[in-house]
Amino acid sequence: DKGNYRHFMLKEIYEQPTVVGQTIATMVDPLHGTTTLPEFPFDLAAIERVTIIACGTSFYAGMVAKYWLEQMARINVEVDIASEFRYREAVMPPGGLAIFISQSGETADTLAALRYAKSQGQHILTIVNVPQSSMERESDIVLQTHAGPEVGVASTKAFTCQLSVLACLSIAVAKARGKIDHAEEERLVNALTEVPARMAEVLNHDEAIEALADDMSKARDVIYLGRGPEYPIAMEGALKLKEISYIHAEGYAAGEMKHGPIALIDELVPIIVIAPTGRLFEKTVSNMQEVIARKGRVIFITDEEGSQANGHDAEATIALPMLDEFVTPLLYAIPVQLLSYHVAVAKGTDVDQPRNLAKSVTVE
Ligand code: F6R
């Protein structure tokens, strides 16, 4: 049931404050500022190496987790797409942790990759949304996302719920490895528990985002730029746009622009720059300025401070609420979802059932 929403996708975007809140609530104790993951059937502290495998949007959640795990838990993390991983005969020293991320729990390539990792003596952890899936049955431990049924083919709420689980897991791994003390754990948990309320505020920007859609729907190509954990969000934004609006889009690491893609920039190409304030802000802003100097038309997605500092540089600026840098990917996922949604509506495509796509890809 779509309720009062025009499409399932929009309804599912709007459900995010609730379902992300539910997912986080299963894994943190906000009162004591601790994570409360289920007991692991292996010693988390003894893990030396993490491999994360998934497809599509779930893969981008895995890419974000690489930044988190490396930075907070100081552990070696590899991320790959399942269709490549399953055939490349990866070297996996026994005793590593292999994490599989899937909304459906049925994606053929991800399941095959899981079986390979198992054959290589890895501990298998899956993050799935649909209960009782094939992947769940073959795992050592399952962390469930509580997104509820996702009907729209384009994944939205499942993605931010995956990020929520991965954020909790990253804190837990960091703690198990003795890389963070209790004060730091508490700070991270607090940042995470603040997310649902901030997400609700982000949804208040819906009209401002919708106002950009008509113009963008005429574009032939769109480029999304981000750095650090916002780089996968740029890729996810581009994927969402491709899937439902059929506009060619690419997500790029902002710093990689000058190595080729900047040649694409002219006044016909909208550039979405995703840059919360923090460690990488100035770097991304300087990439934005390079794009503007080449007549690129920039939509700048930042926070209130970022908007005050550089909002005037861009053609349009969306200023999100301030939030701890750690959890920004959860928040910045929403404006790119909304943007692709409204562009698709402006183009008149079938938003919930885009051409050539299926919700669950059970063939390779
Ligand atoms: C994107 C999308 C797909 C899926 C991918 C993996 O909006 O829906 O890219 O993310 O097919 O599916 P799951 O997560 O079910 O393994």
Side-chain angles (χ1 to χ4, degrees), residues 241-253:
L241 191 72
K242 280 184 264 209
E243 284 186 284
I244 60 168
S245 78
Y246 317 146
I247 295 173
H248 169 242
E250 287 196 60
Y252 254 101

Side-chain angles (χ1 to χ4, degrees), residues 43 55 120 136 151 166 170 177 230 314 323 332 350 353:
D43 182 10
C55 300
Q120 301 299 300
E136 180 168 334
V151 178
L166 289 161
S170 302
R177 290 169 60 79
E230 263 60 55
L323 190 67
Y332 285 69
D350 188 346
Q353 285 290 331

Side-chain angles (χ1 to χ4, degrees), residues 54-59 101-107 110 135 150 152-156 162 236 239-240 243 358-361:
C55 300
T57 291
S58 299
F59 168 70
I101 310 167
S102 178
Q103 189 287 127
S104 63
E106 303 294 345
T107 302
T110 310
M135 275 180 225
E150 191 178 62
V153 163
S155 186
T156 52
Q162 289 165 347
E236 167 60 5
L239 177 62
K240 282 290 88 92
E243 284 186 284
K359 184 69 190 159
S360 178
V361 185

